[in-house]
Amino acid sequence: MLCYCGSQKDYEQCCKPICSKIRYASTPSELMRARYSAYATGNGLFLYETNAIENRYEEDIELIEEHSKTSNWTKLSVLKEREDGDEGLVEFKAYYKENDIYKLLHEISQFKKIEGQWFYTEGKLFDTKIGRNEPCPCNSGKKFKRCCA
């Protein structure tokens, strides 16, 4: 099965070893992709554990797992990534379908490396919607306006 993150790699070789804590992400982008896969699979514990300690809230685990039952994450687009020593950022657009409506999450995520492991520290969300001329998030190859809009 192809990885949820859109890397065109097999999930077993891409994000699963990170989400299963077999190994740590080697870059902020790799952690962000694994976190996307965790949202897609409802792995709330991984998302909780890869948040910076000051941003961990145990109730988030159950909320994420519940949300995954009603949403289908369909596409990830990495727009920009930067790593500078023990800090990094990744700008991305994540598309998902919830209650038969496609939605878009556009964020610049910040990461920090602590004792050899990357953690998500915070994100800046953009108020965005899926543009009519953007590729459809269902991956049909059609424009959104001609497909699922």
Side-chain angles (χ1 to χ4, degrees):
M1 178 182 102
L2 288 179
C3 193
Y4 300 95
C5 78
S7 67
Q8 299 304 308
K9 297 177 186 173
D10 189 76
Y11 176 64
E12 299 286 326
Q13 305 301 314
C14 190
C15 289
K16 186 176 181 182
I18 300 167
C19 291
S20 301
K21 298 183 266 177
I22 293 170
R23 70 173 185 88
Y24 294 142
S26 59
T27 65
S29 180
E30 193 173 47
L31 178 57
M32 189 278 305
R33 288 176 174 281
R35 287 174 58 85
Y36 175 87
S37 291
Y39 275 108
T41 59
N43 187 346
L45 182 60
F46 175 77
L47 291 161
Y48 170 81
E49 291 176 343
T50 56
N51 270 342
I53 291 172
E54 62 272 13
N55 296 328
R56 289 184 186 172
Y57 305 98
E58 284 191 38
E59 60 270 14
D60 287 352
I61 298 170
E62 186 176 332
L63 290 172
I64 291 163
E65 291 169 354
E66 284 299 314
H67 183 258
S68 75
K69 294 175 184 172
T70 61
S71 59
N72 179 25
W73 294 82
T74 60
K75 182 178 174 184
L76 175 67
S77 298
V78 176
L79 307 175
K80 185 181 357 178
E81 51 190 291
R82 187 177 72 220
E83 184 179 338
D84 186 19
D86 289 342
E87 295 185 358
L89 70 80
V90 180
E91 181 177 359
F92 67 92
K93 288 183 177 181
Y95 300 84
Y96 63 102
K97 191 173 185 179
E98 183 177 50
N99 300 322
D100 292 326
I101 299 171
Y102 276 101
K103 297 184 179 186
L104 167 62
L105 172 72
H106 181 185
E107 180 177 310
I108 295 178
S109 298
Q110 294 184 17
F111 298 88
K112 189 168 194 97
K113 194 175 198 179
I114 302 168
E115 296 179 9
Q117 184 177 353
W118 286 102
F119 293 92
Y120 172 83
T121 57
E122 64 182 333
K124 177 186 174 190
L125 288 173
F126 294 90
D127 185 19
T128 56
K129 62 180 184 173
I130 301 170
R132 293 171 36 83
N133 290 317
E134 286 187 52
C136 192
C138 76
N139 294 312
S140 67
K142 299 177 184 177
K143 290 185 178 185
F144 184 59
K145 68 183 176 187
R146 301 257 186 242
C147 194
C148 294

